[in-house]
Amino acid sequence: MTQRIFVPRDASAVSVGAERVCRTIENEARNRGLDVEIVRNGSRGLYWLEPLIEIELDGQRIAYGPVNPEDVLGLFEAGWLQGGAHALCHGPSEEIPYLKRQTRLTFARMGVTDPLSLEDYRAHGGLKGLERALDMKAEDIVDAIDTGGLRGRGGAGFPTGIKWRTVMNAGGGQKYIVCNADEGDSGTFSDRMLMEGDPFCLIEGMIIAGLAVGADTGYIYLRSEYPDAWDVLEDAIVTATREGILGANVLGSGRRFELNLFKGAGAYVCGEETSLLESIEGKRGLVRAKPPLPALQGLFGRPTVVNNVITLGSVPWILAHGGEAYKAHGSGRSRGTLPFQLAGNLKQPGLVEVAFGMTLRELLYDFGGGSASGRPIRAVQVGGPLGAYLPESRFDLPLDYEAFAAVGATVGHGGIVAFDDSVDMAKMARYAMEFCAIESCGKCTPCRIGSVRGVELLDSMLAARPQHSNDDTLLRDLCQTMLEGSLCAMGGMTPYPVLSALDHYPEDFGLSPKQEEAST
Amino acid sequence: MSSTNQADLLPALHRLQEKFGYIPDHAIAELAKAHNMAQAEVVGVIGFYHDFRRTPPGRQRLRICRAESCQAMGADALALHASTQLGVEFGATTADGEVTLEAAYCLGNCACSPAVMLDDELHGRVSAERLDAMLAEGRGV
């Protein structure tokens, strides 16, 4: 009987050698005359173990990793196809604590299936949500999302049900579903993983959204930095169209849904929803003033749902299992799960989908295993480049939208970047301002000019320390102007990392003792 | 697919750049006409997006991630190494026209930091030695 070997095709796994390992395994198996089939799955998200190779044995999958091409011969010699012992063996994949302790709802198929096999997708619960939605009234679909308590996973945390209802009630005529796949936040990669590892899940979520609000056309705005996700989505859309999931007659229902893939062009600000819409319309990605809301006047002036990849990817599960089942997970007003992304200086970086409410410390140490360098973790940035830096005293904060907002931080898209004690927080604050200066769309003054002034101010502070003491009055004043006066989150949240660095690490800025006292 | 001609501009720019490596000056008038826009508007759109360039790039495009996760894993030193080895600043092309060095702000490979992208090929956990080997391989050394 043919034995199956799973080698991830995920871009991150390939970036550390999965492709070469795959070729080496193929060659070695051929030389030995072994009957094996190599399946290119998505990544399980245990990135420190990538390339993570799985051998199917007696209905179980046994994990080996990280496997380099030069390890392959030894693995065959050790009899890995028969479960032979080897230093790289981690036992059954599902039993690895990192994976076992997770609650994988949105990422249930991640790393398990062949992303481009519709057969696999159906066999693992795919299309159940869509089939159910096709039998429901539009209002009932929106109600299910409302009941589940799903909130925008792109970072803003706006209730998805409210957004959908607004578009549903926005009259007749052309409406659009736009998927924001411009995952520009550093420290985040869950959108990329879902698109590369389970593309039909996103497609299914978008069709359900279309059924709910009365939209027959969708766009995926994908950042150009993700060429592998582009290829997978292109393939998946062709397959879904051929199989009658997309097109004029969705699963024989008589309902239409067409899906277009749109490539971004390297502008971070296009992850802001109105800038993204301008970009699809072929314009400079300038942020629009709101109102009007995109839900009422969005793409080409028509009512539009703009949702993040993970938001839409969570929809099929909610429809298949019901809003109540989703709501059963989570804490406070943050319901369900979030695929957190552990990155930066951690021993075990990767994708951790858990219910809201887990503490940062659990994620950093129980999952992340502490710093990769072995030095103490000094600062953690949560929620991308516009997220606050948190010191160890905040590590027991539960990951929950409201709990984070209460301390001037954000959960954002769930990216968690750890820094050890070699980090210079004044430099990180300068970087935040510099990033804003590079990526500002330029429409509003606080962001366009403020970020440049911020860089200048921090440059002079960096130059003055440690010989002279600095004063942060002007910098704090500038941050306040940006916070209150910017048109969107780009300028409006850039102060988060800057102010949090000032508050928690004043010593890095060469601040005079008086101000250090004031801020503690 | 779209309600205005202008909506096809970004895909057209991507196609042009894929073919020529940049957006040639002589294409601007043509683009403006085809998309029912003023030439100044076309130039404005090109200028807004980091991806589009008006001058020919090097034979290879090396993008080094400068964002937070990669910084936490030594990207600054890697960036300095690349810039020194190649003898160019970020945004510039080597004198022999081989490599254009660019900064990227997240390649989505944060769990395998530091990350770089050579043309469309993503690399993770990149050390200075590995970067040198990649560039040497790219030059056919």
Side-chain angles (χ1 to χ4, degrees):
Chain A
M1 201 185 109
T2 309
Q3 192 168 12
R4 296 201 296 172
I5 303 178
F6 294 81
V7 184
R9 59 175 294 161
D10 172 273
S12 235
V14 172
S15 85
V16 289
E19 204 62 52
R20 280 178 296 126
V21 172
C22 185
R23 286 198 300 271
T24 315
I25 293 174
E26 270 171 347
N27 287 337
E28 195 56 38
R30 194 181 309 120
N31 291 344
R32 290 165 182 261
L34 298 169
D35 184 17
V36 300
E37 179 199 350
I38 295 183
V39 180
R40 302 307 299 270
N41 57 336
S43 171
R44 293 272 192 174
L46 282 63
Y47 279 113
W48 81 99
L49 292 178
E50 291 290 1
L52 178 80
I53 314 298
E54 291 172 282
I55 306 289
E56 195 173 52
L57 194 64
D58 306 324
Q60 244 188 349
R61 281 157 67 164
I62 312 294
Y64 294 82
V67 178
N68 291 308
E70 47 285 11
D71 299 320
V72 171
L73 182 64
L75 285 161
F76 275 99
E77 295 289 327
W80 69 333
L81 296 186
Q82 293 80 41
H86 192 279
L88 295 179
C89 183
H90 302 278
S93 311
E94 309 278 352
E95 296 299 320
I96 298 174
Y98 198 92
L99 202 54
K100 201 175 182 182
R101 291 193 56 204
Q102 299 193 28
T103 305
R104 290 210 165 172
L105 309 183
T106 306
F107 276 55
R109 280 174 296 269
M110 187 58 58
V112 176
T113 55
D114 170 352
L116 287 170
S117 161
L118 195 56
E119 219 170 274
D120 254 14
Y121 186 66
R122 278 184 190 275
H124 289 83
L127 297 179
K128 284 211 174 70
L130 176 58
E131 281 161 1
R132 198 156 288 180
L134 283 167
D135 289 332
M136 291 164 75
K137 288 205 294 272
E139 294 85 4
D140 295 339
I141 300 175
V142 178
D143 280 346
I145 299 298
D146 253 345
T147 304
L150 180 65
R151 294 167 67 175
R153 298 291 189 242
F158 187 79
T160 306
I162 295 180
K163 192 181 270 187
W164 286 19
R165 182 156 302 166
T166 308
V167 179
M168 178 178 77
N169 293 330
Q174 183 68 56
K175 297 175 185 176
Y176 296 103
I177 306 296
V178 172
C179 170
N180 184 345
D182 195 47
E183 185 175 53
D185 283 359
S186 71
T188 69
F189 46 84
S190 60
D191 292 355
R192 179 187 62 68
M193 279 186 78
L194 190 84
M195 291 185 285
E196 289 178 5
D198 199 12
F200 294 119
C201 180
L202 173 60
I203 293 172
E204 185 181 350
M206 290 185 74
I207 302 171
I208 295 170
L211 294 172
V213 306
D216 67 359
T217 305
Y219 284 86
I220 299 174
Y221 186 93
L222 177 65
R223 66 197 301 250
S224 62
E225 289 87 344
Y226 287 176
D228 299 272
W230 177 275
D231 291 344
V232 172
L233 282 172
E234 224 175 22
D235 264 21
I237 290 171
V238 168
T239 304
T241 306
R242 190 184 63 224
E243 300 295 325
I245 295 164
L246 286 171
N249 190 9
V250 173
L251 291 179
S253 65
R255 306 287 298 268
R256 167 190 288 280
F257 197 80
E258 310 274 354
L259 188 51
N260 305 295
L261 199 49
F262 194 96
K263 194 187 288 184
Y268 173 79
V269 77
C270 287
E272 195 282 333
E273 60 178 2
T274 61
S275 162
L276 184 154
L277 296 175
E278 291 284 301
S279 186
I280 296 182
E281 293 179 10
K283 303 172 189 161
R284 291 164 67 86
L286 294 186
V287 171
R288 295 178 187 169
K290 288 191 272 193
L293 294 170
L296 299 173
Q297 289 177 44
L299 188 60
F300 306 119
R302 304 299 310 167
T304 303
V305 167
V306 186
N307 276 153
N308 166 257
V309 173
I310 302 299
T311 312
L312 290 161
S314 302
V315 166
W317 195 96
I318 297 175
L319 266 292
H321 298 85
E324 290 293 343
Y326 193 73
K327 191 188 172 185
H329 302 277
S331 79
R333 284 167 52 209
S334 306
R335 308 313 310 176
T337 60
L338 187 66
F340 290 99
Q341 301 121 86
L342 301 185
N345 199 327
L346 287 176
K347 202 177 286 170
Q348 302 179 353
L351 190 288
V352 180
E353 182 178 359
V354 288
F356 286 96
M358 187 171 275
T359 67
L360 202 47
R361 191 182 300 279
E362 286 174 274
L363 280 171
L364 291 170
Y365 293 96
D366 297 354
F367 284 95
S371 75
S373 60
R375 302 169 69 102
I377 297 177
R378 182 163 182 246
V380 176
Q381 189 177 32
V382 183
L386 308 177
Y389 284 102
L390 301 172
E392 218 214 318
S393 60
R394 291 270 159 85
F395 287 1
D396 294 309
L397 211 56
L399 285 146
D400 165 309
Y401 291 121
E402 277 68 38
F404 266 60
V407 299
T410 174
V411 172
H413 186 47
I416 294 176
V417 178
F419 294 81
D420 72 10
D421 63 354
S422 64
V423 68
D424 179 343
M425 293 308 294
K427 276 195 182 157
M428 297 318 294
R430 184 198 182 278
Y431 171 78
M433 284 291 187
E434 184 191 21
F435 182 69
C436 183
I438 294 170
E439 299 296 340
S440 173
C441 84
K443 182 152 175 169
C444 72
T445 319
C447 175
R448 184 185 67 245
I449 308 281
S451 54
V452 175
R453 293 290 172 262
V455 173
E456 292 166 359
L457 273 173
L458 280 155
D459 273 342
S460 65
M461 288 171 84
L462 281 161
R465 63 166 204 192
Q467 291 86 357
H468 306 283
S469 62
N470 280 311
D471 183 339
D472 63 355
T473 313
L474 202 52
L475 183 59
R476 284 182 180 276
D477 192 46
L478 174 70
C479 283
Q480 206 55 37
T481 303
M482 290 175 73
L483 271 170
E484 290 168 6
S486 300
L487 205 49
C488 80
M490 178 89 240
M493 285 176 69
T494 290
Y496 278 36
V498 179
L499 290 172
S500 57
L502 276 171
D503 287 342
H504 301 300
Y505 313 94
E507 63 275 19
D508 288 20
F509 292 82
L511 290 173
S512 59
K514 193 185 100 229
Q515 273 153 344
E516 276 186 52
E517 276 164 32
S519 61
T520 45
Chain B
M1 168 172 164
S2 42
S3 65
T4 66
N5 280 336
Q6 186 168 351
D8 298 325
L9 179 62
L10 255 67
L13 290 172
H14 275 301
R15 281 194 298 274
L16 267 176
Q17 181 141 316
E18 215 161 276
K19 191 167 172 192
F20 297 106
Y22 69 111
I23 312 292
D25 283 344
H26 63 77
I28 306 286
E30 200 68 34
L31 283 164
K33 203 173 154 201
H35 296 92
N36 200 20
M37 296 165 74
Q39 290 192 35
E41 287 178 302
V42 174
V43 171
V45 171
I46 294 169
F48 183 84
Y49 295 95
H50 297 307
D51 278 2
F52 300 131
R53 42 183 310 138
R54 304 280 307 274
T55 52
R59 201 176 58 77
Q60 284 187 299
R61 179 188 188 196
L62 176 66
R63 281 182 281 181
I64 298 192
C65 181
R66 311 287 310 265
E68 290 90 342
S69 177
C70 288
Q71 286 186 47
M73 293 300 279
D76 284 350
L78 188 66
L80 183 65
H81 176 81
S83 177
T84 312
Q85 285 297 105
L86 294 170
V88 287
E89 296 292 318
F90 275 81
T93 303
T94 53
D96 60 4
E98 277 293 310
V99 183
T100 299
L101 179 63
E102 292 175 8
Y105 295 93
C106 198
L107 297 166
N109 199 19
C110 322
C112 296
S113 298
V116 313
M117 207 176 221
L118 189 58
D119 292 328
D120 262 357
E121 205 168 287
L122 183 64
H123 298 266
R125 297 178 203 143
V126 179
S127 61
E129 295 72 38
R130 234 186 101 209
L131 186 67
D132 291 344
M134 273 161 49
L135 288 170
E137 199 180 321
R139 285 187 161 155
V141 176

